Amino acid sequence: VTRNEIDLNEAEAPGRRARRATHRDVARQAGVSPAVVSYVINGGPRTTAPATRERVLRAIKELDYHPNMMARGLRVQRTQTVGFIDCDFAPLDVYVSPYSAAILTGLTAELSLREYHLLISPVQVGQDLRQLERMLRSGRLDGLVVRLVEDSSATVELLTMISTTGIPCICIERPVEPRFGFGSVLVDDDAGAFAATSYLVERGHRRIAHLAGDSRYASAASREAGYRRALEVHGLPCDEALVACRSWTPLAVDAALSSLDALADPPTAIFAASDSLAFRAVELARAAGRRIPDDLAVVGFDDIPLAQEMVPPLTTVQIPLREVGHLAARRVLGLIDQDQEAAASEVLPVKLVRRGTA
Amino acid sequence: VTRNEIDLNEAEAPGRRARRATHRDVARQAGVSPAVVSYVINGGPRTTAPATRERVLRAIKELDYHPNMMARGLRVQRTQTVGFIDCDFAPLDVYVSPYSAAILTGLTAELSLREYHLLISPVQVGQDLRQLERMLRSGRLDGLVVRLVEDSSATVELLTMISTTGIPCICIERPVEPRFGFGSVLVDDDAGAFAATSYLVERGHRRIAHLAGDSRYASAASREAGYRRALEVHGLPCDEALVACRSWTPLAVDAALSSLDALADPPTAIFAASDSLAFRAVELARAAGRRIPDDLAVVGFDDIPLAQEMVPPLTTVQIPLREVGHLAARRVLGLIDQDQEAAASEVLPVKLVRRGTA
DNA sequence: GTGAAAGCGCTAACAA
DNA sequence: TTGTTAGCGCTTTCAC
């Protein structure tokens, strides 16, 4: 007598965890073959007579049957799961940073529409990839969304590893060489920084400092590049003493502001590479008795929730982060469905939102 | 000729995705039976001769073999995955709130130590549970960590549903009736609020307002209770006009402060139910020309990163959120390993950290 | 329109 | 110490 022939109720004896109903139980109860149960559940590939269909559906209800994803996944080679790899220098920031948070929000919302699940894997840039590779090769994932923060050889190594696994993949934040065939959804950091800086110039500022982000991050570099380009276009000199910080840590702004203040010709405006940096600058300046925006104008980048909670609210560059998540999700799903178009690259526009600090 | 007998290289023809090596390929290459491959990989249940072991290991390397988790999971009924269900009124806040972020950080770190993966499912309080139930019953998860925010019948319904699935479960933030056998790790909100309020009293404040959180949340209620208890213990009247806000949204503080200011005898101190609320209060008060902490003392709750970035830094109640995540992870893992002790309930102490705002 | 049966890749009980 | 084999729960081809 095989396990499957044990009566279901009998197996539900107290003490042991109840055995779950399988499609065979359903088949027996409905008086059909296991195949038909599958046809009914999946609406194919064969059609079923309405009457049998009804009986099967009823049996499913009665037995409270739920298909086992492991078994189904093993059979059809699908897991209904996509992974999110956040490859950062401070990997556990995935959750802490409002930046990835917004992306994850978009991703999750879109995936759950198609009953897909999200598996999050923080990875440290340059860390040993073996554990990750084991995971990817274990067949647990149908697709992948990878957030890249820089273009070093460590990143290429990661991408190469991923591509050898053959898992469909969409990249976020950094573009990726076409040879990988990965598709990406990006954001126009450079244009945003250009717009922010230009805005300050238009407001009459001539000494505009830049609180740059951690220079290991490509987005920090792009934002700085946009800043420099704007100065140049507007015929302003770029005083190296005006670019400071080079860290994402808000507390690093303290030292940066001190040196800026010590300048013979201190800045009248600041363009910060992130809202958190901008926020700290505002706090510090205000504590030093300066009025925002009159004594010091400040523009941030990202438009995190805090930007609207500050007083005055922060003028900043808004990134459609949730949209990035949505699009990335739709693209992986597209790749999984063999839609070649999904492997394209797309860069989303950002927009300056004028509020109270500049 | 079965699929398994196709030569591996032949299957790697360009165009189609290369077939992955299976344990049978390894067995053939090493000249042993499939069982031995399993013994070697899992270090049991049978022992293997060192020589064969070597050969198997070499074959694994050569073929770049990685076990398939679906197949293994189907066989041993393990998925190496635990789910995190965040059951909130605003479910997509899982990622956005620094609160859950810290918990997730702890969870992830601990789980990855044991090569477990985390699947995050945001759920709206009171929402239809069918999609979630389908997921839970699909056998995709070995264990569950559930963050509960309140004790309504919707929560009981969720817990009941979970318990019928038989999945080992640990609850966070809210205790859970013992009948479920779930285990929990909590945080002493009431004591924290008591400490914060008492501190303000000791500093000489007599008119202490409370910016309460959204009253649908049990933590908001506990914090308010701690506040009231402290006033009572110190012989202070509890003026209902002094408790305001009742929302987690920082912008809701605006109206609350207005009415507080309009009082004949306005408060000299504020105990806020969260750091975000406290932050907004500080911003607003300062914009109105009041000095912190001299004109108005403020104490927060949570100790999110922002608390240290404000100027002056926020005096607040620190919750060991990452620790909550770590412990919850260890407990589910314990439950999965049939360790009955893991089903206990534990409440972690919080601590007042004195900084600049009070 | 439906049933029988093979097989996805793995583990473990049984045999040798 | 190792080989053989059944079976985890499902889908799908093949036969009727």
Side-chain angles (χ1 to χ4, degrees):
Chain A
V1 58
T2 81
R3 207 166 173 318
N4 265 339
E5 281 150 11
I6 293 169
D7 177 65
L8 189 57
N9 291 319
E10 185 180 358
E12 270 175 20
R16 308 168 51 204
R17 197 154 134 190
R19 185 174 79 78
R20 300 179 36 199
T22 76
H23 71 298
R24 291 176 66 139
D25 298 315
V26 174
R28 206 170 337 123
Q29 172 109 349
V32 298
S33 81
V36 176
V37 176
S38 172
Y39 300 153
V40 169
I41 289 175
N42 302 315
R46 309 238 76 99
T47 69
T48 46
T52 18
R53 218 182 97 82
E54 266 326 307
R55 262 183 305 145
V56 170
L57 255 18
R58 183 148 25 89
I60 287 177
K61 274 257 153 55
E62 286 169 8
L63 297 177
D64 194 23
Y65 167 72
H66 291 259
N68 181 311
M69 281 310 298
M70 291 283 118
R72 165 177 245 267
L74 177 60
R75 179 62 229 235
V76 304
Q77 307 287 23
R78 281 253 178 135
T79 61
Q80 297 285 117
T81 309
V82 336
F84 178 73
I85 299 183
D86 187 86
C87 185
D88 203 331
F89 291 99
L92 284 177
D93 280 2
V94 210
Y95 304 116
V96 177
S97 117
Y99 188 91
S100 359
I103 295 175
L104 285 171
T105 302
L107 266 179
T108 302
E110 191 71 28
L111 290 177
S112 88
L113 252 37
R114 301 245 324 241
E115 296 234 8
Y116 258 82
H117 302 277
L118 188 67
L119 201 72
I120 301 179
S121 283
V123 168
Q124 174 140 14
V125 174
Q127 110 183 18
D128 185 86
L129 296 176
R130 273 175 304 187
Q131 180 166 356
L132 181 65
E133 179 164 15
R134 235 175 294 142
M135 202 264 276
L136 296 184
R137 291 224 127 103
S138 73
R140 182 192 286 281
L141 265 27
D142 291 345
L144 223 41
V145 174
V146 183
R147 173 171 170 257
L148 264 17
V149 300
E150 43 96 63
D151 309 301
S152 73
S153 65
T155 296
V156 173
E157 196 183 332
L158 172 67
L159 292 173
T160 306
M161 188 275 274
I162 291 175
S163 79
T164 68
T165 67
I167 302 179
C169 175
I170 295 294
C171 293
I172 268 179
E173 199 165 320
R174 293 307 302 152
V176 65
E177 300 172 46
R179 66 180 166 111
F180 290 116
F182 277 179
S184 51
V185 6
L186 315 168
V187 130
D188 203 340
D189 284 312
D190 182 282
F194 183 86
T197 310
S198 298
Y199 172 71
L200 289 169
V201 175
E202 283 153 20
R203 305 283 290 180
H205 295 282
R206 289 293 168 268
R207 295 286 289 168
I208 302 171
H210 179 44
L211 294 178
D214 187 326
S215 48
R216 294 172 303 175
Y217 290 72
S219 61
S222 298
R223 293 171 191 185
E224 181 174 338
Y227 157 82
R228 289 179 188 273
R229 195 160 57 82
L231 292 186
E232 196 175 340
V233 165
H234 292 93
L236 256 31
C238 186
D239 182 350
E240 290 306 322
L242 286 180
V243 358
C245 198
R246 304 208 173 280
S247 162
W248 295 122
T249 310
L251 297 183
V253 171
D254 301 27
L257 279 202
S258 303
S259 45
L260 253 19
D261 283 344
L263 256 30
D265 190 5
T268 62
I270 288 178
F271 164 54
S274 84
D275 286 352
S276 303
L277 259 25
F279 167 73
R280 183 71 184 172
V282 168
E283 289 290 278
L284 254 20
R286 195 156 45 189
R290 303 170 69 179
R291 316 195 137 246
I292 311 288
D294 303 325
D295 299 342
L296 184 70
V298 177
V299 177
F301 210 111
D302 290 348
D303 197 25
I304 63 178
L306 176 64
Q308 303 188 56
E309 294 158 15
M310 308 167 37
V311 180
L314 187 65
T315 294
T316 190
V317 177
Q318 184 175 81
I319 311 183
L321 289 172
R322 281 166 78 138
E323 191 63 14
V324 169
H326 275 107
L327 291 175
R330 246 174 268 156
R331 279 205 135 80
V332 234
L333 259 19
L335 286 181
I336 292 172
D337 295 345
Q338 312 275 16
D339 172 9
Q340 295 307 326
E341 314 225 333
S345 184
E346 173 174 19
V347 11
L348 304 184
V350 299
K351 108 172 174 242
L352 180 73
V353 356
R354 241 196 89 187
R355 291 201 273 246
T357 57
Chain B
V1 59
T2 81
R3 207 169 173 315
N4 266 339
E5 280 150 13
I6 293 169
D7 177 65
L8 190 58
N9 291 320
E10 184 179 358
E12 270 176 19
R16 306 169 52 205
R17 199 155 133 188
R19 186 173 80 76
R20 302 179 35 200
T22 75
H23 71 296
R24 292 176 65 139
D25 298 316
V26 174
R28 204 168 339 124
Q29 173 107 351
V32 300
S33 82
V36 176
V37 177
S38 172
Y39 300 153
V40 169
I41 289 175
N42 303 315
R46 307 241 76 100
T47 69
T48 46
T52 20
R53 217 183 98 81
E54 266 325 306
R55 264 184 303 145
V56 170
L57 255 17
R58 183 146 28 88
I60 288 177
K61 272 259 154 55
E62 286 170 7
L63 296 177
D64 194 22
Y65 167 73
H66 291 259
N68 180 313
M69 280 311 297
M70 291 282 119
R72 164 175 244 267
L74 178 60
R75 180 63 230 238
V76 303
Q77 308 287 22
R78 281 252 177 138
T79 61
Q80 297 285 115
T81 308
V82 335
F84 178 72
I85 298 183
D86 186 86
C87 184
D88 203 332
F89 291 99
L92 284 176
D93 280 2
V94 210
Y95 305 116
V96 176
S97 116
Y99 187 92
S100 359
I103 295 176
L104 284 170
T105 302
L107 265 177
T108 302
E110 190 72 28
L111 290 177
S112 88
L113 253 36
R114 300 247 322 244
E115 296 234 9
Y116 258 82
H117 302 280
L118 189 67
L119 201 71
I120 301 179
S121 283
V123 168
Q124 173 140 15
V125 174
Q127 111 182 19
D128 184 85
L129 296 176
R130 273 174 303 188
Q131 180 165 358
L132 182 65
E133 179 165 16
R134 233 175 295 143
M135 202 264 274
L136 295 184
R137 290 228 129 104
S138 73
R140 185 191 283 283
L141 264 27
D142 291 345
L144 222 40
V145 174
V146 182
R147 174 171 169 255
L148 265 15
V149 300
E150 42 96 61
D151 308 302
S152 74
S153 65
T155 296
V156 173
E157 196 184 333
L158 172 67
L159 292 173
T160 306
M161 187 275 274
I162 291 174
S163 79
T164 69
T165 68
I167 302 178
C169 176
I170 294 295
C171 293
I172 269 180
E173 199 166 320
R174 295 306 302 152
V176 65
E177 301 171 45
R179 67 180 166 111
F180 290 116
F182 277 178
S184 52
V185 7
L186 315 168
V187 130
D188 204 340
D189 284 311
D190 182 282
F194 183 86
T197 310
S198 299
Y199 172 71
L200 288 170
V201 174
E202 282 153 20
R203 303 284 288 180
H205 295 283
R206 290 293 167 267
R207 296 284 290 168
I208 303 171
H210 179 45
L211 293 178
D214 187 325
S215 47
R216 295 172 303 175
Y217 290 71
S219 61
S222 299
R223 292 171 192 185
E224 182 175 336
Y227 158 80
R228 290 180 188 275
R229 195 160 57 82
L231 292 185
E232 195 176 342
V233 165
H234 293 92
L236 256 30
C238 186
D239 182 349
E240 289 306 323
L242 286 180
V243 358
C245 199
R246 304 208 173 282
S247 163
W248 294 122
T249 310
L251 297 183
V253 171
D254 301 29
L257 278 203
S258 302
S259 45
L260 253 19
D261 283 345
L263 257 31
D265 189 5
T268 61
I270 288 179
F271 164 54
S274 85
D275 286 353
S276 302
L277 261 21
F279 168 72
R280 183 72 184 171
V282 168
E283 290 290 278
L284 254 19
R286 194 155 48 187
R290 302 170 70 179
R291 315 195 139 247
I292 312 287
D294 303 324
D295 299 342
L296 184 71
V298 177
V299 178
F301 209 111
D302 290 348
D303 198 24
I304 63 178
L306 176 64
Q308 302 187 57
E309 293 158 15
M310 307 166 40
V311 180
L314 187 66
T315 294
T316 190
V317 177
Q318 184 174 80
I319 310 183
L321 289 172
R322 281 166 81 136
E323 191 62 16
V324 169
H326 274 106
L327 291 175
R330 248 174 267 154
R331 280 205 134 80
V332 233
L333 260 18
L335 286 181
I336 292 172
D337 295 345
Q338 312 275 18
D339 173 9
Q340 295 307 327
E341 314 226 333
S345 183
E346 173 175 19
V347 10
L348 304 184
V350 299
K351 108 172 174 245
L352 180 72
V353 355
R354 240 195 89 188
R355 291 202 273 246
T357 58

